[in-house]
Amino acid sequence: MAIESSCDDTSAAVVRDGYIMSNLIAGQDIHMSYGGVVPELASRAHQANIVPVADQALKKAGVGVDEIDAVAFTLGPGLLGSLLVGTSFAKGFALARNIPLIEVNHLHAHIMAHFILEKDKENRVPKLPFLCLLISGGHTRLIVMRNHLDMVIIGNTLDDAAGEAFDKCGKLMDLPYPAGPMIDKLASEGNKKAFSFSKPSVKGLDFSFSGLKTSFLYFLRDRIKEDPLFIIKNRADLCASLQETIISILINKLIKASQQTGITEVGIAGGVSANSGLRNGLARESAKRGWNLFVPPFAYTTDNAAMIGITGYYKYLRGEFSSQDTAPRARF
Ligand code: KG4
Ligand code: ZN
């Protein structure tokens, strides 16, 4: 049994021998009108959702509570109040059933999503070492996975994450939170060459997105002075141009990382990996560069317990268990 509650999705999954039996997610619409996740509301919603979601995950998997051998959960990083709900549930479950408790790093799990096996599907998993670009609402990292439980961070964001760039710029265009999916949709109707925004010059494999957000803000402010309806009239082109800028920053660093490490098993993970422009751009690059490209199915890009379950499964095989003293961590 796996539990994920790091941000605003309550999720439970059941995994057997590396195969996902069920993966249920309860989202939280309550944050939409606030322009971001409200931590206190998130933890309350987790409390309301966690028991029914876990119950449904068991039912969908056709598994009884007494058949569960271990319980994995997200220890962090994430919102502390949200993490506490999942951690407490998992601890209680493990204690009551007298089964091992397995803590999972949420970021590790996003990458491990590539190793999820599904029944009756052709399961393609990366060979190791695997180079993965992790792009979520809170993180932008280039990671080399040496084995399932051993990874090295070779690039990191110096300020905002890629998802934050989507969300914050979306907010400036009055798009609801999280703006990433909406920008993706609007971008498909716009001209990506309509506007150009400056790209950061960050050495090595690190990233920076706060400058882009600021230049987007100033650009909008200047244009709105000339035409108060500028955003409304140009929304699709703005989204397409902004998305193109973010994508090219990400792809260029991934190319650089592959060249530096010599790794051609390449993938993306995390919420922003759902972006269709990024997926298309990477498909073109990988054809050109002979990469073996891994893009997770949409269900496993944003937060889900299946990825916690597969990570927990590998930790279970290695006997990496946690004690009841373990405490959630907002940061790692
Ligand atoms: O991994 P995730 O679900 O949660 C975190 O752990 O942060 O990522 C959420 C982020 C948000 O910033 C959201 O706007 C972004 O993923 N996102 C997208 C798309 N779908 C989700 N960004 C761009 N295009 C998308 N299609
Ligand atoms: Zn996440």
Side-chain angles (χ1 to χ4, degrees), residues 42-324:
S43 35
R44 281 169 198 239
H46 282 305
Q47 277 188 316
N49 292 341
I50 195 142
V51 172
V53 169
D55 187 49
Q56 282 302 312
L58 284 169
K59 288 206 172 92
K60 182 133 187 272
V63 167
V65 174
D66 51 349
E67 288 177 80
I68 298 292
D69 296 313
V71 53
F73 69 99
T74 306
L75 188 73
L79 300 171
L80 206 53
S82 293
L83 291 165
L84 261 171
V85 178
T87 304
S88 306
F89 178 89
K91 282 186 184 181
F93 197 103
L95 201 59
R97 303 294 321 152
N98 195 24
I99 53 174
L101 180 67
I102 303 172
E103 65 195 40
V104 169
N105 175 327
H106 180 86
L107 304 176
H108 180 193
H110 266 302
I111 301 170
M112 287 299 290
H114 288 286
F115 296 88
I116 286 173
L117 302 177
E118 288 178 303
K119 284 253 156 66
D120 307 319
K121 276 212 180 146
E122 190 197 335
N123 290 297
R124 201 176 141 257
V125 299
K127 289 196 278 291
L128 300 173
F130 172 49
L131 171 65
C132 193
L133 173 65
L134 172 69
I135 30 182
S136 69
H139 297 84
T140 304
R141 285 186 181 165
L142 277 161
I143 291 169
V144 173
M145 179 177 267
R146 295 195 286 215
N147 73 50
H148 297 110
L149 303 182
D150 175 21
M151 291 176 295
V152 196
I153 300 167
I154 58 168
N156 210 342
T157 181
L158 305 175
D159 40 56
D160 288 355
E164 253 174 308
F166 273 104
D167 296 339
K168 289 181 176 173
C169 292
K171 198 172 176 181
L172 297 174
M173 292 185 281
D174 291 326
L175 298 179
Y177 176 87
M182 184 80 89
I183 292 177
D184 190 354
K185 195 161 160 273
L186 288 166
S188 65
E189 299 154 18
N191 172 9
K192 62 186 179 188
K193 294 196 174 127
F195 308 109
S196 72
F197 306 108
S198 60
K199 288 180 199 150
S201 57
V202 183
K203 288 207 187 84
L205 298 175
D206 288 333
F207 301 86
S208 165
F209 286 101
S210 71
L212 174 62
K213 180 192 64 195
T214 312
S215 86
F216 192 69
L217 171 71
Y218 290 154
F219 173 84
L220 289 181
R221 202 186 51 187
D222 293 346
R223 295 299 178 102
I224 289 169
K225 262 190 218 152
E226 294 161 14
D227 177 4
L229 297 178
F230 178 76
I231 294 179
I232 295 168
K233 287 180 188 161
N234 296 281
R235 196 167 265 156
D237 285 351
L238 282 167
C239 289
S241 305
L242 174 71
Q243 178 171 295
E244 180 61 16
T245 310
I246 299 174
I247 290 174
S248 83
I249 296 169
L250 294 172
I251 294 183
N252 285 338
K253 290 283 173 165
L254 191 52
I255 292 171
K256 203 167 177 183
S258 168
Q259 285 168 340
Q260 280 187 18
T261 57
I263 300 173
T264 52
E265 296 281 307
V266 174
I268 49 173
V272 182
S273 70
N275 186 269
S276 54
L278 178 66
R279 286 172 175 235
N280 294 337
L282 277 177
R284 277 195 299 275
E285 280 307 323
S286 56
K288 219 179 347 177
R289 295 170 191 279
W291 289 351
N292 203 6
L293 181 68
F294 293 87
V295 175
F298 285 112
Y300 304 137
T301 54
T302 44
D303 293 345
N304 66 87
M307 67 186 194
I308 306 301
I310 192 73
T311 314
Y313 169 70
Y314 279 96
K315 292 188 91 171
Y316 181 82
L317 295 180
R318 282 244 215 124
E320 286 193 19
F321 303 145
S322 310
S323 91
Q324 283 281 338

